Amino acid sequence: FGGDVVVSGSLVAGRQTMVQRLFWAGGIANDDYRFPSGPEGVPTSTTHTMQHMWTVMGSGSIKALDLWVNEGSTAQCTVGIFINESSVSANTVHVTGSFVNHNILGTGNRGHLFIDFQDPANANFITGSNSFNPGDLITVGICKTAGGTFTNTMGTLYYEVDTTAPHTNLPGGVPG
């Protein structure tokens, strides 16, 4: 092998898709938002605190949320995405959809709901802005608005972040 290799510019992608796994333990039985279980056994609850949130280190937007429940379900589910909000009545993004059933594991139906926040066909069903800024705190609440109770909900949230210069807009403590 001979010759020189020259790289000019940056090898870092400008925007990257990130994944946040979410889990709501127990039943979702009414129209009170439930927030995902947190680290180290923090339970699902109807109020969100720091244990139910995460921060982002760049500007970006929510792309999609993929929800699966433990049983067959056609319940209607409302999803609220909370960005820097401490009140459960002040979600930043709001959308309602219904689960459909899939026998994906070959052991009976599981309810599935997929929300694509960037699909223009869904624009009439989504209210609010799915954008966020560096340092924002984010969480996702779900509730049942019609149909039967659904349990043990697993979610995968996909969001896009500008990773060229990770930072936060919030001052914080420093090492030392």
Side-chain angles (χ1 to χ4, degrees):
F1 181 81
D4 295 329
V5 175
V6 177
V7 176
S8 177
S10 175
L11 295 177
V12 177
R15 294 179 76 77
Q16 292 185 9
T17 299
M18 306 293 193
V19 175
Q20 182 74 30
R21 299 281 294 157
L22 305 166
F23 179 65
W24 291 265
I28 308 292
N30 57 37
D31 61 0
D32 294 330
Y33 277 112
R34 306 284 294 177
F35 295 93
S37 305
E40 301 177 12
V42 172
T44 299
S45 75
T46 55
T47 58
H48 59 287
T49 59
M50 293 305 291
Q51 296 97 320
H52 301 104
M53 304 179 99
W54 69 94
T55 187
V56 291
M57 297 301 287
S59 60
S61 61
I62 306 295
K63 293 179 70 146
L65 178 63
D66 195 16
L67 296 173
W68 286 90
V69 296
N70 200 45
E71 63 281 314
S73 178
T74 57
Q76 188 177 61
C77 174
T78 297
V79 174
I81 297 178
F82 297 78
I83 301 173
N84 293 333
E85 294 292 345
S86 61
S87 169
V88 295
S89 62
N91 55 23
T92 307
V93 182
H94 176 270
V95 62
T96 298
S98 296
F99 289 98
V100 296
N101 288 312
H102 295 284
N103 186 6
I104 191 129
L105 302 175
T107 58
N109 283 332
R110 303 287 188 264
H112 180 232
L113 173 60
F114 180 79
I115 301 165
D116 183 343
F117 291 94
Q118 297 182 324
D119 184 346
N122 294 336
N124 292 334
F125 307 106
I126 299 171
T127 60
S129 171
N130 63 331
S131 298
F132 52 80
N133 295 307
D136 282 353
L137 292 168
I138 301 172
T139 191
V140 178
I142 62 173
C143 63
K144 178 190 71 101
T145 47
T149 297
F150 49 92
T151 64
N152 296 330
T153 306
M154 180 56 74
T156 307
L157 182 75
Y158 300 90
Y159 58 100
E160 195 172 66
V161 177
D162 180 351
T163 57
T164 55
H167 70 285
T168 178
N169 287 337
L170 302 174
V174 296

